[in-house]
DNA sequence: AAAGTGGATCGTCATGTAGG
DNA sequence: CCTACATGACGATCCACTTT
């Protein structure tokens, strides 16, 4: 792992608040038959998409000439790409987690339905047997 | 108390895909 | 094509819990 990674790592505190947000959202997700696909899950556009400190907008491309300027531009682009992908990964992880929760929810619902149907079937069988006697 | 372990979260890289 | 975005895979780190 790079130094940049280590320095930019965050404590679990942030994830705690995210978990809270997600569980709050879950309670509104009680629709039975429609499990959205991963791609259909809602985007949460966080306000953190602003450029981080230290990432400076480039001058217009036409003003870059020297090798040094080109190198700086390349570095800047690399940093920008990393930052954007970091955001994308966060969002992707969040969506995946939500998707799994949806699936788990669905499993619970189906298990309940199954249980109910089994009981219903048993009751009907009993009824039928008694009538047959 | 220290070491070990498992789960959760995050960041990075590689790759696929859609839109311009 | 090129670019931006989404996502799977993977490794690093943290944290809570258990074992020694």
């Amino acid at each position: 792992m790079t130094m940049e990674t280590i320095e930019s790592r965050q404590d679990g505190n942030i994830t705690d608040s995210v978990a809270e947000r997600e569980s709050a959202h879950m309670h509104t997700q009680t629709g039975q038959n429609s499990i959205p696909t991963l791609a259909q899950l809602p985007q949460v556009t966080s306000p953190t998409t602003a450029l981080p400190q230290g990432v400076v907008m480039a001058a217009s491309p036409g003003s870059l000439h020297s090798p040094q300027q080109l190198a700086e531009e390349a570095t800047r682009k690399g940093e920008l790409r990393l930052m954007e992908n970091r955001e994308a990964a966060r969002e992707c992880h969040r969506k995946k987690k939500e998707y799994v929760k949806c699936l788990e929810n669905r499993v619970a619902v189906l298990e309940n339905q199954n249980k109910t149907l089994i009981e219903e079937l048993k009751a009907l069988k009993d009824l039928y047997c008694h009538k047959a006697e």
Side-chain angles (χ1 to χ4, degrees), chain A residues 17-33:
Chain A
S17 63
V18 169
E20 281 170 22
R21 224 177 38 223
E22 284 173 1
S23 66
H25 184 260
M26 274 300 290
H27 293 302
T28 66
Q29 229 329 337
T30 51
Q32 275 201 6
N33 290 322

Side-chain angles (χ1 to χ4, degrees), chain A residues 16 19 41 79 83 104 117:
Chain A
D16 288 346
L41 286 171
E79 283 172 353
M83 192 196 74
E104 287 170 349
L117 287 170

